[in-house]
Amino acid sequence: MPISDQTDQLASIFQAGRHFQFLKKSHELLEKLPHAPKLAAMSVHALATLGYGGPARELIQRRADIGGPFDQRDKLGNALGKLPNGRVPWNDQKHTYEKNVESFLKRYPQSEEALRHAENELKKIHLFKSQAGHLHTSRRQPGKIREWMRDLSIEPHEIGMQLPDKGPIRVPVVVGVSLGSLLPRVCELTRNAFLTYNHPVCVVELDLLHFVAWMHCNDQTELLEQKNIEWFVGPDAVVQLGQHLRDNDSIALPQLVLNQSDNINTTADIKTLVLDVENHRKQRLDELIARLEKHYHAPVGPDHATKLTPPSRVLAFTSRFTTMLQYSTRDVLDALDHMGFETQLLIEQEDHHCLTPNTICQTIDDFKPDLIVVLDHLRGEYPFLPENIPMLTWIQDPLPDLLCESAGQSVKHADFVCGLFRDRCIEQFGYPEGQFEYVDVPVSTRIFHAGEPSHAQHERFECDISFVSNASTTIEAFHQSELATNDPSVHEFMHVLFEATRPLIDDDTFCLRKAIELTARIANEMRLDLDEEKTRTIATHYTYRIFDWGRRQQTLEWVSDWANRTNRTFKIFGRGWEDHPTLSQHASGIIEHGQDLRDMYAASTLSLQLIPSGFHHQRSFEIIASGSLPLTRYCEGDFGDLPAREFEALRCAGKSPEVIPNFPNFRDIVFTTPSDFEERTESFLSNKNRRNEILSKLQETVQERFTYDAALTQVLKSFRNHLRVPQRDTKV
């Protein structure tokens, strides 16, 4: 580019007020031009504006084309002398750097030698702080004009980068480190991308010297220690990123490159790299599938029945991003362990990991299981699984992918299903009758059992009534978050659906089936083209969740009002309740499923179970087994679709509208209205004998019918009997 054009381009940068960007380029050009008075004057002006009096005087001394006659140059120098020098000694930042480097080396000890070398090189670099608070690096070589290097404080908007107001964004790579807001903002926009899953964030910085300078300037320990952020530093940073992605199949591949460095070519390099890694993963999966098909070549038949007995190997996989399934899977394997099986659990190790086809197939190849157990998912959802491994699916939740014809058709001879919704799955969706055993969601009595907690645990958890759930988001906030993640073309539909669902929170008859019907009706009225699968998905994850969370929180408001008026102690455990607009006063922190949860129930006189689909749930059995009396809001399904008014009439008349089998006195722990709740709660709190009488009978039922040991013994027996029968078409 001709010199005149370069000068004009720099003048426009100067006039735009981008003084540091101007200086970087103007000083490069001034080094080549012995006489450029206009450009030199703009450079002095830019330095003065930044508050860099020292470098400005330094430039005057180097350039004869600044300031005109000697006396005028003298006056200019004196005027600049009143400005701060701008330079910040590195030693002033030493404590900050030592904290940061300690955090970094805990995770990347292999980088210590390179960092120590960069620390020595940093002595040749100068740090400057502008009057606006921005930090810049530069160096001055003998006989040359000062070179301005990097802006340590660059903000996204300064380079034309715009991030959305709400997340989640796609899986990102951030190129270049800065004290600006980009990286903290990216962390916010990748947090809880799905439930508690956080996208991985990869940071690539090619300039090790700049990285060391950055670590001197602010306390970055929180970012450096954040597990979902991986740091790749040095000239080979892109190569490091590629190796990391090849070695870690559980890390989602980047889909977005946010480049705030000076090297624009890095963006294209990373995109090419990601394509290469994607192909590498596909090739590796093909190799794994071929190896597994060779190992599991024998068709599943009668000989496999003996493999469903101890000490055979059982693999289960589940997700850490579920509230209950991960704990139910743990309890299944615990029971199988005690039966003598060799077991292994595959689950994401961190909140930024995913279970991928590669990780599942690699685990199967390493462990060589005789049986695979998965909760709430059928084999058909994993097309890469060898067809000749017996697989047990335990259905605990009414998910759309399970309650459909394609699910029933996908069940093959090597599969067995147990759990809830048996009659519906067989009659409506074509599940093979001989391959589906009805089982309630049971409880692990090795974890949940009666008995006083320790004194410390009792003091921590003691209360009149407790509730546990992570469903702390108000339905209004949930609606807004769903709008933010869905295409604007469906926003009007979602608004209408939300307003139609909100009043149904009081409807004791509302259920997932009605949520699907409501979703389909409104979509049809608005002439929105939704297929059956999409309708089920929206109904399950949006419509029914509005009802579910809304009904639970409405009930909690009843309890809160009662507790505040009576000075009773009410504690709510789970994520996010401290931020709830009306229930935060009862927030008591997060509680882990296991010993803490058992102790909490044991220290609670009464415990709420508010799942709208009914009382038959693992949470109910855990409460009972731990020694707390559960209270539950009326659900028609628990009483054969008996309307609440008829239920109340029968109960008031002394009749017994019991429908749930083997749960004596169940009607006594059910409430229908705020006043009914208060009456029953006060009665139980003041009458320990009556409370213990009902609890004792409930505990007998749980011990007899709802433990994992009893359930799995029966299910595996039925699975073996199925396999002993020669393969045939068992569809009904």
Side-chain angles (χ1 to χ4, degrees), residues 136-289:
H136 304 116
T137 52
S138 74
R139 65 180 153 208
R140 185 181 177 190
Q141 299 183 33
K144 292 188 175 183
I145 292 175
R146 179 176 295 276
E147 173 192 356
W148 292 97
M149 299 170 67
R150 295 280 291 270
D151 183 350
L152 282 157
S153 308
I154 196 164
E155 292 288 350
H157 70 271
E158 296 176 339
I159 52 175
M161 187 183 296
Q162 289 189 337
L163 294 173
D165 293 333
K166 297 180 180 179
I169 58 173
R170 292 174 293 165
V171 182
V173 174
V174 175
V175 182
V177 295
S178 166
L179 302 173
S181 62
L182 178 62
L183 187 53
R185 184 75 183 118
V186 164
C187 292
E188 290 176 14
L189 294 172
T190 53
R191 190 174 296 120
N192 297 335
F194 173 73
L195 299 177
T196 57
Y197 165 76
N198 304 318
H199 280 323
V201 178
C202 296
V203 180
V204 170
E205 177 52 70
L206 300 175
D207 187 344
L208 181 58
L209 208 55
H210 177 71
F211 184 70
V212 170
W214 174 78
M215 285 201 291
H216 275 79
C217 297
N218 260 351
D219 184 346
Q220 305 289 358
T221 52
E222 184 177 347
L223 289 174
L224 291 168
E225 294 172 3
Q226 199 162 310
K227 289 184 177 181
N228 70 311
I229 304 179
E230 290 287 347
W231 301 83
F232 307 95
V233 182
D236 65 340
V238 176
V239 175
Q240 295 175 40
L241 170 64
Q243 194 60 51
H244 172 73
L245 295 174
R246 287 186 181 89
D247 293 345
N248 295 277
D249 288 323
S250 61
I251 300 295
L253 291 178
Q255 302 165 306
L256 177 67
V257 180
L258 301 170
N259 193 340
Q260 61 178 349
S261 76
D262 294 335
N263 192 338
I264 60 173
N265 294 328
T266 307
T267 298
D269 293 342
I270 291 174
K271 289 181 178 179
T272 300
L273 170 75
V274 170
L275 288 174
D276 289 343
V277 175
E278 185 176 19
N279 290 331
H280 168 80
R281 289 187 178 183
K282 287 178 181 177
Q283 181 181 350
R284 188 176 174 193
L285 179 61
D286 290 342
E287 293 169 356
L288 282 168
I289 289 173

Side-chain angles (χ1 to χ4, degrees), residues 32 122 179 424 536:
K32 302 173 186 176
L122 195 67
L179 302 173
R424 186 179 175 195
R536 282 201 309 269

Side-chain angles (χ1 to χ4, degrees), residues 370-539:
D370 301 296
L371 171 67
I372 291 175
V373 178
V374 183
L375 275 63
D376 276 352
H377 296 280
L378 292 163
R379 183 195 300 269
E381 298 176 53
Y382 308 98
F384 47 84
L385 289 180
E387 62 179 14
N388 292 321
I389 303 180
M391 179 167 170
L392 173 63
T393 294
W394 193 319
I395 297 179
Q396 294 194 356
D397 298 289
L399 301 181
D401 289 341
L402 298 171
L403 303 182
C404 60
E405 289 186 7
S406 59
Q409 294 167 1
S410 74
V411 179
K412 306 303 180 185
H413 183 70
D415 302 325
F416 199 82
V417 183
C418 69
L420 307 176
F421 317 111
R422 180 181 185 273
D423 291 346
R424 186 179 175 195
C425 285
I426 292 170
E427 294 167 7
Q428 287 186 242
F429 307 123
Y431 279 69
E433 185 173 7
Q435 290 170 248
F436 199 136
E437 177 121 350
Y438 178 83
V439 177
D440 278 297
V441 181
V443 62
S444 171
T445 50
R446 276 179 290 277
I447 296 175
F448 294 93
H449 56 84
E452 286 294 317
S454 68
H455 177 73
Q457 289 287 76
H458 190 271
E459 283 200 340
R460 175 186 173 192
F461 295 127
E462 183 183 15
C463 60
D464 292 311
I465 190 163
S466 65
F467 176 70
V468 180
S469 173
N470 290 328
S472 59
T473 305
T474 65
I475 59 173
E476 291 80 12
F478 169 68
H479 174 58
Q480 291 301 320
S481 69
E482 289 298 294
L483 289 175
T485 57
N486 279 275
D487 190 272
S489 62
V490 298
H491 283 187
E492 184 182 357
F493 165 66
M494 294 175 69
H495 284 308
V496 173
L497 190 53
F498 178 78
E499 293 301 330
T501 308
R502 193 206 308 246
L504 298 174
I505 288 170
D506 288 313
D507 188 349
D508 298 314
T509 71
F510 197 74
C511 58
L512 179 59
R513 175 181 57 80
K514 291 188 176 182
I516 294 172
E517 292 172 354
L518 176 64
T519 305
R521 177 175 63 77
I522 291 178
N524 185 57
E525 290 173 356
M526 299 185 68
R527 299 185 179 179
L528 193 65
D529 186 19
L530 294 182
D531 59 27
E532 184 178 346
E533 181 179 355
K534 183 67 173 176
T535 301
R536 282 201 309 269
T537 300
I538 294 173

Side-chain angles (χ1 to χ4, degrees), residues 583-625:
L583 296 168
S584 58
Q585 61 182 309
H586 306 293
S588 303
I590 298 171
I591 191 166
E592 291 296 325
H593 191 277
Q595 187 64 43
D596 272 0
L597 186 60
R598 189 223 76 95
D599 288 349
M600 188 279 291
Y601 285 141
S604 303
T605 306
L606 305 172
S607 299
L608 292 164
Q609 199 283 65
L610 301 179
I611 297 168
S613 56
F615 187 73
H616 257 218
H617 193 277
Q618 182 178 7
R619 180 123 316 164
S620 305
F621 308 144
E622 290 170 353
I623 292 170
I624 294 167

Side-chain angles (χ1 to χ4, degrees), residues 539-660:
T540 302
H541 298 291
Y542 179 71
T543 315
Y544 188 73
R545 189 165 291 177
I546 293 167
F547 167 76
D548 181 355
W549 292 4
R551 189 172 175 88
R552 294 191 206 198
Q553 292 182 31
Q554 181 194 59
T555 310
L556 294 177
E557 297 285 0
W558 298 353
V559 182
S560 175
D561 178 64
W562 159 79
N564 291 336
R565 284 187 286 102
T566 60
N567 291 321
R568 296 289 192 178
T569 52
F570 173 35
K571 293 185 178 181
I572 303 178
F573 296 89
R575 290 187 180 90
W577 291 105
E578 65 278 5
D579 298 321
H580 193 280
T582 58
L583 296 168
S584 58
Q585 61 182 309
H586 306 293
S588 303
I590 298 171
I591 191 166
E592 291 296 325
H593 191 277
Q595 187 64 43
D596 272 0
L597 186 60
R598 189 223 76 95
D599 288 349
M600 188 279 291
Y601 285 141
S604 303
T605 306
L606 305 172
S607 299
L608 292 164
Q609 199 283 65
L610 301 179
I611 297 168
S613 56
F615 187 73
H616 257 218
H617 193 277
Q618 182 178 7
R619 180 123 316 164
S620 305
F621 308 144
E622 290 170 353
I623 292 170
I624 294 167
S626 300
S628 183
L629 182 67
L631 292 180
T632 187
R633 187 170 174 180
Y634 187 80
C635 172
E636 283 195 0
D638 286 337
F639 294 92
D641 295 332
L642 184 69
R645 288 184 180 179
E646 293 183 29
F647 165 79
E648 279 290 8
L650 288 169
R651 186 164 61 176
C652 290
K655 297 181 180 178
S656 181
E658 306 285 6
V659 169
I660 296 183

